[in-house]
Amino acid sequence: MKKNISLFLMLFFTVFTFAQKTVSGKVTDTDGIAIPSASVTIEEPGKDAILAYGITNSKGEYKVTFTSQESNVDLKVKAFNQKPLTKQISNSDQNMNFTMQSEATEIKEVQLKTKMITARGDTISYDLKAFNSKNDRTLADVMKKIPGIEVSTDGTIKYQGNAINKFYVNGKDLMEGGYGTINNSLPKDAVQKVEVLENHQPVKILQDKVPSDQAAINIKLKNAVTMTGRGEVGSGFGAPWLWNVKLTPMFFGQKSQWVVNYKTNNMGEQVENEGNILAFGSSWEGRRGNVSQNNWLSVENAEVPNLPVKRYLLNNVHYLSANYLTNIDKKKEWELKANANYTNNAVERESNTLTRDIQQGTQFNTRFLNNFYTDKLKGELIFTKNAKKGFFKNTTTFSQFWNADRALAERAGSIGNEALESPTSSFQNSLSTIIPWKEKMVNFKSYISYQNDKQVLEISPANYLKIPYKSPTDTAFTTIKFTPGTTALQSLRIKSLETSHSANISFSTKGWTFTPQVGIDFSTDRLITNFDGITDDNKPDFSSSAYENDLKFTKVNPSASVGINYKSEAWSLFSSFPVNFNSMKAEDAFRNVSKSLNKVTFTPNIFAQYSFASFFKASVSGGISNNFGDIQTAYAGSILTSPGGFSVMDPKNPIPETTTKNGGVRLEYRNPLNNLFFNVGYRLSDAKNNLLATSVVNPAGFSVIQYIELENKRTNNSYYAEIGKYFPKFKTNASFSYNNSVSKSQMKRNDDLFDTKTDGNTLGFKFNNTYFSWMSVDFNATKSWNKQSNIYTTGNLGKSESYNHNLNVFFYPLESHTIGFYWDQINSKLGDTKFNNGFFDVSYQFSWTKKKVDFELKWMNISNRKVFEKIDVKNATIEQTTMQLRPSQVMLTVKFNFK
C-alpha cells in the first residue's frame, strides 16, 4: 500500500512540475490600441485540442497557464475584425506581445447560437436545450445528462464527484438545501441555463477571504418573474387499486419566491424524501441538518433489495410541504424564509432468509413481515441578511414524530409479534452573525438543541426470544427460558440537551485571512430504561438493576483555535488548528458508578487547492479528529435494542475513545471548450479505538452484544476516477467511473478474535444519446467485484460479483407520440450461486403540445416478477434472501405544467 501511495503522490506532484508554464503579454492593433475580448489559446502542434485559454482584458492584457510535455506549443490569437495569428513558441515561461492586422469580416447570414457549455471565471454555464430529449419534462430529467454533474439516487446533486453546497433559483436560496422538490418538479421549459459556481463561498462578506472547495448550482430562469409548476394525476390497477397525484405550483419573483407541494401515491414512488436537506451551505451560517429520532429500539426488519425503490416499495404516502421566501427591506438584503412539511406514510415489507453460520456449522430460517408507520411534522423559520457589509442568520426548527413499527417474525420455528411505539419532540435554534469592525470581522455563533425520545418495544409471546445468557456463576452461555403466553417489554426514554457557543475575529492582509476563535460546547443526556419479562426459573432476574438504566452523561468542551486561509488567482487554502479541552462524565445511579475523562487534544485539518493551465485543479487535504463516545456507549444495564438480542456495556469499561486520521489528494480537469470533465483521487483513513464490540451468537441467530477493552484499528484506502465527455456532433454524453476501496477491521464473535479485510471494486458507465430525431437512449451500468477475507470466508467463499443496469429507450414514431421501453437488470453471484433478476416496463405517451399536457399509459413489471433473490456473505455467515416485490401494474397518468 505504501508503494501505491508513493507512486500516486509522485504522479500527482509531477503534474505540478509540468504545470509551471505561463505565457503573458498584450494584444494591440497596428495603431497600438489595446484589443479587449481577444481569445488566446494554447494547442499542441498537429492536434486539434486546446490545452488552455485566456481572454484579454480591457487593456488588452492576457495570461495563460498551461501543461504540456511537448517541447513546443502553438499559440493562437483571435479577435473580431482582426486577422487571426498563430505562432509556435517554446514550452517555457515567457512574455509575448502581439500586433493584429485589421481584416473586415463579411457576414452573409446572422445566426444567434448559444454555446452549450461556457465558462467565465469560476462560473460554468450549461445551455439546457443542448442536453434535453423529447421525453424530458423536468429539470431533473435534463440534469442527469449534463457532463460533470451527477444526480444520486437520493436526489443529491454532485459536481465532479462532490456534493454541492447551495442550490439557487435566480440567485435566491429558497429551499435551504432541500432542493429535491424544485429539481423534480420545475418544468425544463422555464429554465434558460444551469450555472455551476465553482469554489463557491455562500457568505458574501467572506468571499475573496475564506475560500471554499465546494460548488453551487444556480438555475437561471428565462423570465425574471415566473409562475410555473408541474402536476400529475394518475390511476391504475394492480393489487390493490392504484393512485398517483402530484401538484407542485411555484412562483419565482424578484422580491419573493414560493413552492407548494402535495404528493400522494400507493404505486411505489418515494416522494417523502423530497423534504430532506441535501446541501448544508457553509459552517459560517451556523448548524442545520436533517432532524432524526434517537432510534435505540427497533423491531426485526425485512431485507431491502438492491433495486430501484419503485420495484419493491409497498406504500401509501401523503406528503405536503410549503416553502416561502420574501425580502423584508428595500435594499433586498434581509430575507424571511418559512417552510413546513408533513408526512403520513405506511409501508409494508416482507423477506425470507436462509442463514448458514460458517463458524458454528448451523443454519436457520427467518421470515419478517413489517408494517412501518411514519407520521411527522416539521416547521422552520429563517431570518437572513447576506451582504458584503454584514451577515446574520437565525434558524428555528421544530419537529414532532408519532412513528410506529410492527413485525410478524418467524425464526427457527418460533413466531413472535413485535410492536414499537416511538414518539419524539425536537427543537433547535441556530444563530450566526458576522459584523464588520474596522478592517476586521467579528463572528458570533450559538446553537441550542433539545430532544425528547420515548420508545416502547413489545414482543409477544416472550418465549419467541431465545437469547443467550450467562450468569456470574456459569461457565457457559445458556438460553433464557421465557414463560409461554407472557409478554416481554422494553421501555426507553432519553432527554438530550446540546448547546454550542463560539466567537471569533477575522482580519485579512494580502490574500491571507487569520481567524482566532474561542468556544464552548455543552451537552447532557439522561437515559432511563427498563426491561420486563417472566421466566420459568427466574433466571435472569429482570427486576434487578442489571436490566435497568438511570444514566446521566455530560460533556463540556471548551476550545481555542486559529483558522488560516489564503485566496489568490491560482491558490486556495483553508485550515484550522483547534485545541480542545475535553471533559466528560457518566453517572450511573443504579450501579453507583461514576466515570470521567479529561483530555486535551489537537485536531488540525487543512485543504489546499491549486488551479493551473485554465482547466486543472489539484488539491490535497488531511486532518485529525477525536470522538470520546456518547451515551450510547456509556450505559451498563442490558437493553433489548432489538428482539434479536440484548446489548450491554461492562460498567468497568472506560469511556470510549476513537482517534481518526484522514488524508487525500485529488486532480480535476474541466474543459468547457471541448466538453471534457474528469477527476481522479485517493483517500485514506485510520481510526483507532480503545473498545471493541463483540457478539455471542447462538444457533438460532439470537445474540448478546458486549464491549470489551481492547485497542483495535479500522483502516480504509480508496482510489477513484471519473471521466465524462459530451460529443455535440453525435448529441451523446458518456462517462466512466472506477472506485477501489480496501478496508480492514477487527471483530470478536463467540470466542474467535479475527481480522476482516474487504476489497471492493466498482466500474460504472453512463450513456445518453439524442442524435436521432426518432429515438433517444439512456443507459447506466455498474459492475462490482468484492472479496471478503477472514478465517471463515476463505478461497472463493468470500468472493462476490454483481451487475446492474438501467436502460430507457424512447421512440418517436410520429409527432406528439412516444413509446418507451424500460429494462432494469440486477445480477448477483457468490461462488457457484447466481441470481439474475430482470424487470421490464413499456409506456405510450401522447403529448398535447399546445396545452403542454401529456397522457401516459404505462405497464410496469410486465413479467409480474413477485420476488427478488440475493446472496450475501457477512463475516461468519452466508445469507440467501428472498424479498417481496410489487406485482405487475398498469397506470394511466395525465401530466401537465401549471403555466
Side-chain angles (χ1 to χ4, degrees):
M1 181 57 66
K2 290 182 178 179
K3 290 183 179 179
N4 292 336
I5 297 173
S6 300
L7 177 61
F8 188 91
L9 291 175
M10 182 179 69
L11 294 173
F12 182 75
F13 288 109
T14 298
V15 173
F16 279 88
T17 302
F18 285 123
Q20 310 303 313
K21 305 296 184 296
T22 301
V23 181
S24 60
K26 189 172 182 179
V27 179
T28 60
D29 61 18
T30 53
D31 296 325
I33 300 174
I35 300 177
S37 302
S39 67
V40 183
T41 59
I42 303 291
E43 302 179 14
E44 290 186 349
K47 297 181 181 179
D48 187 21
I50 297 175
L51 297 176
Y53 75 100
I55 304 294
T56 59
N57 59 20
S58 59
K59 299 178 181 180
E61 298 168 337
Y62 73 92
K63 182 179 180 181
V64 182
T65 304
F66 64 95
T67 302
S68 177
Q69 300 183 36
E70 299 290 333
S71 58
N72 296 303
V73 296
D74 287 341
L75 186 149
K76 297 181 179 181
V77 185
K78 295 180 180 180
F80 186 71
N81 277 342
Q82 305 291 330
K83 187 176 181 179
L85 290 176
T86 299
K87 181 169 183 168
Q88 190 168 96
I89 63 173
S90 62
N91 186 356
S92 61
D93 294 329
Q94 53 195 295
N95 185 280
M96 299 196 72
N97 298 325
F98 293 93
T99 300
M100 303 189 75
Q101 302 289 330
S102 297
E103 181 180 72
T105 303
E106 182 180 356
I107 303 177
K108 295 181 179 180
E109 182 181 358
V110 177
Q111 289 184 332
L112 298 178
K113 293 185 178 180
T114 304
K115 292 182 179 179
M116 60 186 68
I117 304 177
T118 58
R120 185 177 181 181
D122 281 340
T123 301
I124 296 179
S125 300
Y126 299 86
D127 180 15
L128 222 61
K129 294 179 182 178
F131 304 99
N132 68 7
S133 64
K134 291 182 179 180
N135 200 59
D136 293 334
R137 293 294 180 269
T138 66
L139 175 63
D141 293 336
V142 187
M143 287 277 282
K144 297 174 183 178
K145 303 170 184 177
I146 295 178
I149 294 178
E150 174 189 353
V151 182
S152 303
T153 54
D154 66 350
T156 301
I157 298 175
K158 295 182 178 180
Y159 174 69
Q160 289 283 62
N162 291 328
I164 62 172
N165 63 0
K166 285 288 183 178
F167 183 94
Y168 301 105
V169 178
N170 282 350
K172 292 183 179 292
D173 183 17
L174 166 66
M175 305 306 289
E176 282 285 345
Y179 53 76
T181 298
I182 290 182
N183 198 33
N184 293 331
S185 301
L186 178 63
K188 67 169 187 177
D189 295 338
V191 180
Q192 179 182 351
K193 59 184 176 180
V194 174
E195 296 178 332
V196 174
L197 314 178
E198 296 185 319
N199 301 317
H200 179 63
Q201 170 57 263
V203 181
K204 293 180 180 179
I205 195 174
L206 301 178
Q207 291 172 355
D208 301 322
K209 296 181 180 67
V210 179
S212 168
D213 64 324
Q214 288 183 284
I217 295 287
N218 179 46
I219 307 302
K220 192 168 183 179
L221 303 180
K222 293 178 180 178
N223 300 315
V225 178
T226 302
M227 177 69 191
T228 186
R230 186 77 177 157
E232 295 184 18
V233 178
S235 181
F237 59 89
W241 169 76
L242 304 172
W243 75 83
N244 178 28
V245 177
K246 299 179 183 178
L247 301 172
T248 313
M250 326 178 171
F251 173 79
F252 303 100
Q254 296 180 326
K255 183 179 178 180
S256 64
Q257 297 182 350
W258 55 261
V259 173
V260 176
N261 182 34
Y262 173 66
K263 295 183 178 178
T264 176
N265 74 85
N266 70 340
M267 43 85 71
E269 189 167 352
Q270 198 173 33
V271 296
E272 66 276 11
N273 287 341
E274 286 190 352
N276 290 349
I277 300 173
L278 304 174
F280 296 91
S282 165
S283 60
W284 293 84
E285 298 179 74
R287 290 175 58 176
R288 185 168 178 266
N290 291 309
V291 178
S292 61
Q293 298 179 281
N294 287 313
N295 291 317
W296 285 55
L297 310 183
S298 68
V299 298
E300 293 177 291
N301 293 334
E303 290 278 341
V304 176
N306 180 27
L307 285 173
V309 174
K310 63 181 181 181
R311 300 292 182 192
Y312 66 84
L313 183 62
L314 301 168
N315 68 330
N316 185 328
V317 62
H318 297 266
Y319 176 73
L320 175 65
S321 68
N323 294 73
Y324 177 71
L325 176 154
T326 185
N327 290 110
I328 54 178
D329 68 323
K330 293 182 179 180
K331 293 183 179 180
K332 296 183 180 180
E333 291 182 344
W334 284 90
E335 290 180 342
L336 166 64
K337 302 175 189 177
N339 63 72
N341 61 69
Y342 173 72
T343 303
N344 182 280
N345 192 18
V347 173
E348 183 179 320
R349 190 174 296 156
E350 181 179 359
S351 72
N352 294 268
T353 302
L354 173 63
T355 302
R356 287 198 294 130
D357 193 315
I358 307 170
Q359 182 187 42
Q360 302 182 87
T362 60
Q363 69 178 36
F364 59 91
N365 288 286
T366 55
R367 174 178 176 265
F368 302 126
L369 176 61
N370 293 118
N371 291 98
F372 303 109
Y373 301 100
T374 301
D375 198 14
K376 65 179 181 180
L377 175 67
K378 177 184 175 182
E380 198 166 44
L381 195 63
I382 304 172
F383 286 95
T384 304
K385 176 186 178 181
N386 191 4
K388 281 290 186 180
K389 294 185 178 181
F391 176 81
F392 177 91
K393 186 170 188 176
N394 189 86
T395 303
T396 303
T397 308
F398 172 78
S399 302
Q400 179 66 50
F401 298 79
W402 301 273
N403 292 357
D405 299 333
R406 302 288 185 266
L408 173 64
E410 298 181 21
R411 183 191 290 265
S414 298
I415 299 177
N417 290 287
E418 305 166 6
L420 174 67
E421 304 291 334
S422 53
T424 295
S425 298
S426 175
F427 170 84
Q428 291 86 33
N429 192 85
S430 172
L431 169 67
S432 177
T433 182
I434 303 175
I435 303 170
W437 178 47
K438 296 182 179 180
E439 300 300 322
K440 304 176 181 64
M441 296 181 297
V442 181
N443 175 222
F444 296 98
K445 288 192 288 188
S446 175
Y447 176 77
I448 300 173
S449 173
Y450 175 77
Q451 186 159 318
N452 185 4
D453 292 272
K454 299 178 183 179
Q455 297 171 37
V456 178
L457 175 63
E458 181 178 344
I459 300 96
S460 176
N463 63 328
Y464 162 78
L465 303 172
K466 304 290 191 301
I467 300 175
Y469 166 73
K470 183 172 73 172
S471 70
T473 59
D474 293 336
T475 58
F477 278 86
T478 59
T479 301
I480 299 176
K481 298 178 180 178
F482 287 93
T483 303
T486 61
T487 298
L489 198 68
Q490 174 70 64
S491 62
L492 178 147
R493 182 168 185 174
I494 178 170
K495 295 181 179 180
S496 305
L497 174 65
E498 179 183 1
T499 66
S500 178
H501 308 284
S502 65
N504 67 55
I505 184 169
S506 300
F507 51 93
S508 301
T509 176
K510 296 181 180 180
W512 292 88
T513 301
F514 300 91
T515 308
Q517 175 176 296
V518 294
I520 183 168
D521 296 341
F522 171 81
S523 66
T524 180
D525 300 281
R526 181 68 181 272
L527 174 69
I528 299 175
T529 76
N530 181 62
F531 179 81
D532 284 325
I534 302 174
T535 60
D536 289 341
D537 52 8
N538 200 33
K539 293 182 179 180
D541 182 6
F542 292 127
S543 63
S544 69
S545 61
Y547 291 88
E548 296 181 70
N549 285 282
D550 187 355
L551 175 68
K552 183 179 181 181
F553 189 84
T554 304
K555 279 186 180 182
V556 181
N557 179 23
S559 63
S561 67
V562 58
I564 302 176
N565 306 291
Y566 176 73
K567 177 69 175 175
S568 69
E569 185 178 339
W571 283 96
S572 292
L573 166 72
F574 59 90
S575 58
S576 178
F577 302 93
V579 177
N580 304 286
F581 304 89
N582 303 280
S583 177
M584 53 201 67
K585 189 173 185 179
E587 298 176 285
D588 187 337
F590 283 130
R591 270 153 286 278
N592 197 27
V593 172
S594 178
K595 48 189 175 183
S596 61
L597 180 146
N598 296 281
K599 199 167 187 176
V600 179
T601 59
F602 178 57
T603 55
N605 62 81
I606 186 170
F607 173 87
Q609 179 177 271
Y610 176 60
S611 302
F612 59 97
S614 297
F615 307 118
F616 284 92
K617 290 183 180 182
S619 60
V620 59
S621 62
I624 301 173
S625 63
N626 292 102
N627 189 325
F628 294 102
D630 51 31
I631 196 166
Q632 284 191 293
T633 53
Y635 67 90
S638 296
I639 301 177
L640 191 72
T641 53
S642 164
F646 285 103
S647 294
V648 63
M649 180 81 75
D650 191 326
K652 299 178 182 179
N653 281 346
I655 290 176
E657 298 182 37
T658 301
T659 301
T660 303
K661 301 176 182 178
N662 65 83
V665 289
R666 177 181 172 89
L667 178 67
E668 296 180 43
Y669 176 86
R670 69 280 183 277
N671 188 343
L673 299 178
N674 61 12
N675 312 309
L676 178 64
F677 296 76
F678 79 75
N679 63 85
V680 59
Y682 170 74
R683 298 189 188 100
L684 73 156
S685 66
D686 182 304
K688 184 181 294 185
N689 308 280
N690 66 333
L691 297 182
L692 178 68
T694 70
S695 59
V696 177
V697 186
N698 65 18
F702 290 94
S703 65
V704 173
I705 306 298
Q706 299 173 308
Y707 293 83
I708 61 174
E709 188 174 4
L710 179 67
E711 186 174 292
N712 63 96
K713 292 179 65 177
R714 184 181 301 272
T715 62
N716 183 270
N717 297 270
S718 63
Y719 301 87
Y720 61 91
E722 182 180 16
I723 182 170
K725 180 173 174 59
Y726 184 75
F727 302 89
K729 184 177 181 180
F730 303 101
K731 295 186 178 180
T732 296
N733 184 32
S735 68
F736 289 91
S737 62
Y738 174 74
N739 184 280
N740 168 258
S741 179
V742 178
S743 61
K744 298 178 182 178
S745 62
Q746 289 178 291
M747 68 176 301
K748 184 177 182 182
R749 191 176 191 268
N750 293 334
D751 293 325
D752 293 339
L753 179 65
F754 56 92
D755 296 322
T756 293
K757 176 182 177 182
T758 303
D759 189 341
N761 296 272
T762 302
L763 181 66
F765 173 66
K766 295 183 180 180
F767 173 84
N768 165 258
N769 178 274
T770 58
Y771 179 77
F772 301 101
S773 61
W774 53 272
M775 182 183 72
S776 61
V777 179
D778 290 306
F779 180 73
N780 299 324
T782 304
K783 176 69 176 178
S784 298
W785 302 265
N786 296 282
K787 182 178 180 181
Q788 186 183 93
S789 304
N790 57 39
I791 58 176
Y792 307 116
T793 57
T794 57
N796 291 328
L797 189 59
K799 293 182 178 180
S800 61
E801 297 180 19
S802 66
Y803 170 78
N804 302 342
H805 83 228
N806 171 257
L807 173 66
N808 298 337
V809 182
F810 299 98
F811 300 95
Y812 314 104
L814 298 171
E815 187 69 25
S816 303
H817 297 265
T818 303
I819 298 174
F821 173 74
Y822 312 80
W823 176 16
D824 293 330
Q825 185 68 40
I826 298 90
N827 300 341
S828 60
K829 177 183 177 183
L830 179 63
D832 295 328
T833 305
K834 301 179 182 179
F835 292 112
N836 296 327
N837 298 273
F839 300 87
F840 305 93
D841 307 333
V842 293
S843 68
Y844 165 74
Q845 180 173 284
F846 171 73
S847 300
W848 189 0
T849 308
K850 185 178 180 179
K851 298 294 184 180
K852 295 184 178 181
V853 177
D854 299 320
F855 300 89
E856 182 189 62
L857 181 65
K858 189 171 185 178
W859 182 9
M860 293 161 281
N861 193 6
I862 296 173
S863 59
N864 198 26
R865 185 183 289 269
K866 296 181 179 179
V867 296
F868 176 84
E869 298 175 287
K870 71 172 184 176
I871 188 166
D872 293 319
V873 56
K874 297 182 178 179
N875 295 317
T877 62
I878 297 176
E879 297 181 358
Q880 186 171 326
T881 306
T882 302
M883 289 150 281
Q884 183 185 8
L885 302 177
R886 295 192 66 88
S888 181
Q889 57 191 47
V890 177
M891 289 287 295
L892 175 62
T893 306
V894 181
K895 306 177 183 181
F896 54 92
N897 292 348
F898 280 103
K899 192 173 181 180

